[in-house]
Amino acid sequence: MRIAVISDVHSVADTFRSALEDARRTGFDQMVILGDLFTYGVDPVECADLAIEAVERDDALLIAGNHDKLYLDLEGSCSAYYDRLPEWIMESAQWTWSQLGEKWPRRLETIQEWAWDGLLLAHANPFGFGNWTYLSSPELLAEAARVLRERGFRAGIFGHLHREATYSDDLGTLVHIVDSTGQPRRKGFQRTSWTLVEVSEAQIEIESRSIPFDRERLREQIRMVPNLSQETKTKLCGFYL
């Protein structure tokens, strides 16, 4: 089984499109969009259209992340998560919601997680949907491996952290975090990518495939957005320095 994993797009259409095109050229049996289609970037409508096309053309599965659940909640008049956001993220979310209209969530069905042959895919971690803990330390990676094994899995693929990481415990339980497709956060080494996961009875092979991105173009797109404060624009541009 060859699984194409695209994660943390965050409304950046250029890299999302490049990831989809490269995945199609490479070939896969199942495509999984691992959550966080929106917020931060300035192409939410185009990203929604690309996701809809991936679902219809590629039978892609869309796993909800925290920045998808945010808009699902808003659609249902629930703002508990939104109300806890920092003001600048709240402003980005408000702008995104105003652009999306009925494209989200009514035209895109999400799932909470997906499993195949001992492999679990979820947005953030194996701790359950709605737990957005970042697997950002050796202790948390070890806990994720323990929970995976407890749940009957031999490996887990997650996003959310925006920085690639791999961990395997003494019993061989694998935890892999994929890079972001739209908003890299690794200090000193920024790249956007998608990930090819090949699952067999004997092993799980993981290949991170880099895709080009134009930092200055992304910053300029953000600067040109009306109705966002300068403080928010500065924060958003800061991801692409």
Side-chain angles (χ1 to χ4, degrees):
M1 168 70 88
R2 290 162 59 88
I3 306 169
V5 180
I6 296 172
S7 187
D8 296 284
V9 172
H10 285 295
S11 294
V12 179
D14 287 352
T15 54
F16 189 18
R17 185 183 303 104
S18 294
L20 290 167
E21 291 172 352
D22 193 40
R24 288 164 182 155
R25 285 192 296 268
T26 301
F28 55 84
D29 300 302
Q30 179 65 61
M31 176 179 286
V32 179
I33 301 172
L34 205 55
D36 280 11
L37 275 177
F38 305 120
T39 321
Y40 301 128
V42 298
D43 306 315
V45 173
E46 191 170 357
C47 285
D49 287 338
L50 287 168
I52 290 166
E53 180 187 21
V55 170
E56 294 176 348
R57 172 178 173 178
D58 306 302
D59 292 323
L61 299 172
L62 175 58
I63 292 175
N66 52 307
H67 280 276
D68 307 306
K69 182 65 162 59
L70 166 64
Y71 300 100
L72 289 166
D73 286 349
L74 290 175
E75 175 74 5
S77 301
C78 175
S79 64
Y81 181 63
Y82 171 84
D83 291 340
R84 298 195 303 271
L85 294 172
E87 188 171 339
W88 66 276
I89 300 180
M90 189 181 291
E91 187 178 358
S92 175
Q94 286 175 337
W95 181 84
T96 299
W97 188 236
S98 73
Q99 300 299 303
L100 285 172
E102 293 187 2
K103 284 190 176 294
W104 174 262
R106 296 177 189 174
R107 293 183 61 195
L108 281 169
E109 183 178 349
T110 64
I111 57 177
Q112 295 184 0
E113 59 184 27
W114 183 73
W116 174 269
D117 193 22
L119 174 68
L120 175 71
L121 285 83
H123 176 67
N125 55 59
F127 305 147
F129 185 72
N131 182 324
W132 309 119
T133 299
Y134 290 93
L135 300 182
S136 55
S137 70
E139 294 77 14
L140 285 167
L141 287 165
E143 177 64 9
R146 185 192 67 78
V147 171
L148 282 167
R149 191 167 56 255
E150 196 173 73
R151 293 183 61 187
F153 295 106
R154 55 175 167 152
I157 304 291
F158 310 105
H160 192 49
L161 189 64
H162 295 224
R163 295 185 294 277
E164 188 178 42
T166 299
Y167 172 88
S168 183
D169 68 8
D170 294 339
L171 297 174
T173 307
L174 174 69
V175 179
H176 184 82
I177 303 170
V178 301
D179 265 332
S180 169
T181 299
Q183 192 194 77
R185 295 183 187 175
R186 189 187 306 190
K187 292 182 180 179
F189 180 65
Q190 280 201 336
R191 71 169 183 178
T192 56
S193 70
W194 67 279
T195 300
L196 180 65
V197 181
E198 296 198 54
V199 184
S200 68
E201 185 176 341
Q203 61 186 351
I204 296 173
E205 296 182 0
I206 300 169
E207 179 188 358
S208 181
R209 298 180 60 95
S210 296
I211 50 178
F213 78 113
D214 187 335
R215 297 176 185 147
E216 180 51 42
R217 170 176 161 79
L218 292 173
R219 290 197 298 267
E220 185 59 27
Q221 287 177 321
I222 291 167
R223 294 187 191 108
M224 296 298 292
V225 174
N227 305 322
L228 285 180
S229 68
Q230 188 57 50
E231 179 183 0
T232 294
K233 290 180 181 182
T234 299
K235 291 275 193 180
L236 297 176
C237 286
F239 290 111
Y240 304 106
L241 296 177

